[in-house]
Amino acid sequence: MLRESVLVVVPTLNEARHIADVLASLLADPLAAAMTIVVADGGSTDETAAIVRQIAQAAPQVHLIRNTRRLQSAGVNLAARLFGQDCRFLVRIDAHAAYPRDYVSQLVAIQRQTQANSVVVSMKAVGQAPLQIAIAEAQNSIYGTGGAAHRSISGGKWVEHGHHALFLLDDFLAVGGYNETLSHNEDAELDLRLTTTGRRLYLAPLTIEYFPRDSLDRLWRQYFNFGRGRARTALMHRQPPNARRWLVILLLPALGLALFTSATPLAALPLLGWAGVIVVFASRWSSHHGVFHGITAALAGAIMQLAWSAGFHAQLLLSLPGTMLPRQGAAPPAEPR
């Protein structure tokens, strides 16, 4: 199936809990015989690599490569360069998720039907332990996502961004692949380059299940990095944020403004407005799922918003003239996203 083959890339870093299930779902796909499956491991210290090697012994289309850059963007780019010569499609699979049955086959069928340059999908957060379930609740709500199309479990429309699934490999390579200086927001940055060069993204009616962070400190670090990545993209492409992002960007300044409440009570209004939103969602979730769940979900959403805003402003400060701007990819993340 020359030039109809599918290169599937799975970036990993300490994904021993999930990698076997992910590879099993890929190998059960009707297109498995036409796939080259590459696990680009960023230096896992758990059993991830050993599990992949064991599976590869029985499945010759599975390959394990070392991603010395550790970043997911670098891992996908490396696999595309090493294994993409005879492939038409590139499918990105994140190990920290679960996928619908025959996922790759469905993506290829949708691309053939729509002739999209890239097929993206929706993402639903799914938790297991109580805290993770509450975090998932926040991430699945407009309170946590701001109404992003691919987080509302929708599909069947053309969009400017979505959770990455399938690319025409030639298009992926033509725009330079992922920007390897970005540890976060590399997906939205690539979508921007695709759409500004006339290529089209189709949001398929498919939803993957994403396993969110299971602690509030890890959630803070994740969203702080998301905010930094979004700021870098905005600066890189001179693209002003849209209205829903401005609401979050202004959150940190609103907290700073509240410090001047003694001078004028009006300074506290933005903070009180945000607190009111938190209370509304906490009350709504508490009435359906109990007080602990409601308060925890609302707290998780507040952490996501504040961390994102803090990360955005931190990157802006680092980008001021005279400030040494570090390459975001130079310090690999210590955990998968």
Side-chain angles (χ1 to χ4, degrees), residues 35 70 105 128 140 150 156 163 171 174-175 226 230 246 263 269 282:
M35 293 183 198
R70 301 187 74 185
S105 293
Q128 295 175 327
N140 291 332
H150 68 287
H163 185 77
D171 288 321
V175 299
F226 282 162
R230 176 58 67 176
W246 271 114
L269 287 180

Side-chain angles (χ1 to χ4, degrees), residues 141-148 220 223-224 226-228 230 241-256 270 274 277 300-314 316:
S141 69
I142 191 172
Y143 173 60
T145 67
W220 172 277
Y223 275 80
F224 182 87
F226 282 162
R228 285 196 63 191
R230 176 58 67 176
N242 60 27
R244 65 183 177 86
R245 292 197 184 97
W246 271 114
L247 289 174
V248 185
I249 291 170
L250 293 174
L251 179 57
L252 191 66
L255 294 182
W274 183 50
V277 172
I303 287 173
M304 289 156 52
Q305 295 168 2
L306 184 57
W308 196 99
S309 183
F312 191 94
H313 288 283
L316 292 183

Side-chain angles (χ1 to χ4, degrees), residues 34-51:
M35 293 183 198
T36 298
I37 303 171
V38 181
V39 177
D41 189 70
S44 295
T45 56
D46 62 6
E47 297 300 311
T48 299
I51 294 170

